[in-house]
Amino acid sequence: MRIATFKHQGQIQVGLVNINTQQVTVLEMPAAERHLGALPLIERAVAGQALPAQGATLPLSAVQLMAPIPHPRRNIFCVGKNYHAHAKEFANSGFDSSAKVGGDIPSVPIFFSKVPESVVGPTDTVLIPAQVSQAIDYEVELAVIIGRGGKGISKAQAMQHVWGYTIVNDVTARDRQVRRTPEGMTWYELGSGKAFDSGAPLGPCIVTADEIGDPQNLKLQSRVNGELRQSSTTGNMIWTCAQLIHFFSRNFTLKLGMVIITGTPAGTAWSVDKELGGKGI
């Protein structure tokens, strides 16, 4: 299934997307649940309950797509430098001081979080006040939606805890991410560099895990004003989705509806734009 949350005639609705016909079929959810997007559907699935009845079918062109989970209940867990080529371009930016194995690859995942207020819809405007940043960058990433929670989840069992997948833009303030003292010391400030209002456009829809099959065989691309900037596959991840679920569940109890974003491929502006700190590869 492909699940979307959207507005139609001023009302929030949740529905099933048909990519072939470019239509969405409304699910007859209680009005009090619709603002939660896909979350009530995940709860129903975990409880073994059927989907709500189907209602009207609408053309996608007639609706305004929102984030499939418009109001996450908890922070989004994130990992940095999880693609080999991105780790290389990051190292060549001149700011890479993290622990490494084999040159450019961190010895353990670098993790941070984005606050729920970061989430906006896939076509919403990202609002960055001038006092927050003067150097905004894009990062396309696969997002994993947790269906069944748990703590200490093994890598072997990890994929049984996934309900679906979507896409996120991990919008990043590069001038906040890396700081330097006048003496030349460099440090990372992933909090203010990553977590701010509207800094995580999410969607357009969630594809359930049964339709994806192998999440390590997906293509990721991003474009800026129509220009292809990033193009890779999830097979180039350093740590797989299963490994990341295992990793995060060691420190945190994963809960239904949580979102884990899995890192970005090479091709960010950071790597080539000197104004953002990059020196190119």
Side-chain angles (χ1 to χ4, degrees), residues 5-13 62-66:
T5 304
F6 57 92
K7 284 185 180 178
H8 181 249
Q9 297 181 345
Q11 300 294 317
I12 296 176
Q13 303 280 2
V63 307
Q64 177 188 347
L65 290 170
M66 302 171 61

Side-chain angles (χ1 to χ4, degrees), residues 13-271:
Q13 303 280 2
V14 181
L16 302 176
V17 175
N18 186 318
I19 295 297
N20 295 326
T21 64
Q22 290 292 289
Q23 294 177 315
V24 59
T25 300
V26 176
L27 294 175
E28 301 290 354
M29 294 171 58
E33 291 185 348
R34 294 174 195 163
H35 74 286
L36 297 172
L39 282 175
L41 302 184
I42 303 174
E43 292 172 346
R44 285 172 180 256
V46 172
Q49 300 173 358
L51 288 175
Q54 297 183 15
T57 295
L58 306 167
L60 279 173
S61 59
V63 307
Q64 177 188 347
L65 290 170
M66 302 171 61
I69 302 177
H71 305 289
R73 293 169 175 165
R74 299 167 183 89
N75 282 11
I76 298 172
F77 291 152
C78 317
V79 62
K81 293 178 60 178
N82 195 30
Y83 283 75
H84 291 276
H86 180 56
K88 180 179 179 181
E89 72 178 1
F90 197 93
N92 287 340
S93 71
F95 292 127
D96 188 9
S97 60
S98 57
K100 301 174 187 176
V101 171
D104 305 320
I105 301 173
S107 56
V108 295
I110 300 169
F111 78 88
F112 56 96
S113 69
K114 283 179 174 274
V115 296
E117 290 79 10
S118 297
V119 172
V120 293
T123 61
D124 289 346
T125 300
V126 176
L127 301 174
I128 307 295
Q131 66 268 26
V132 172
S133 178
Q134 297 290 323
I136 292 297
D137 202 356
Y138 53 86
E139 293 189 0
V140 63
E141 306 197 13
L142 176 70
V144 177
I145 313 297
I146 297 298
R148 185 163 59 89
K151 187 172 175 64
I153 299 168
S154 70
K155 290 189 284 288
Q157 299 295 317
M159 303 317 295
Q160 298 179 23
H161 292 256
V162 177
W163 190 73
Y165 304 87
T166 189
I167 292 295
V168 67
N169 183 357
D170 177 17
V171 181
T172 303
R174 296 301 189 194
D175 50 354
R176 292 273 182 162
Q177 180 180 0
V178 178
R179 300 297 185 92
R180 276 181 167 171
T181 67
E183 296 75 27
M185 185 182 76
T186 301
W187 79 98
Y188 292 92
E189 192 177 325
L190 288 174
S192 61
K194 294 284 191 175
F196 42 83
D197 289 354
S198 78
L202 190 70
C205 62
I206 295 175
V207 182
T208 51
D210 60 308
E211 289 205 13
I212 291 295
D214 181 7
Q216 304 310 140
N217 188 30
L218 300 173
K219 190 172 185 177
L220 281 178
Q221 291 186 329
S222 69
R223 289 178 170 82
V224 177
N225 297 326
E227 177 190 354
L228 182 65
R229 296 288 187 88
Q230 293 177 279
S231 184
S232 187
T233 73
T234 53
N236 291 320
M237 284 183 182
I238 297 169
W239 294 283
T240 66
C241 294
Q243 288 172 317
L244 292 177
I245 291 169
H246 167 68
F247 172 78
F248 282 113
S249 74
R250 292 188 309 175
N251 283 24
F252 311 103
T253 300
L254 301 186
K255 297 186 178 181
L256 179 149
M258 277 186 168
V259 179
I260 296 173
I261 64 176
T262 55
T264 197
T268 62
W270 164 267
S271 67

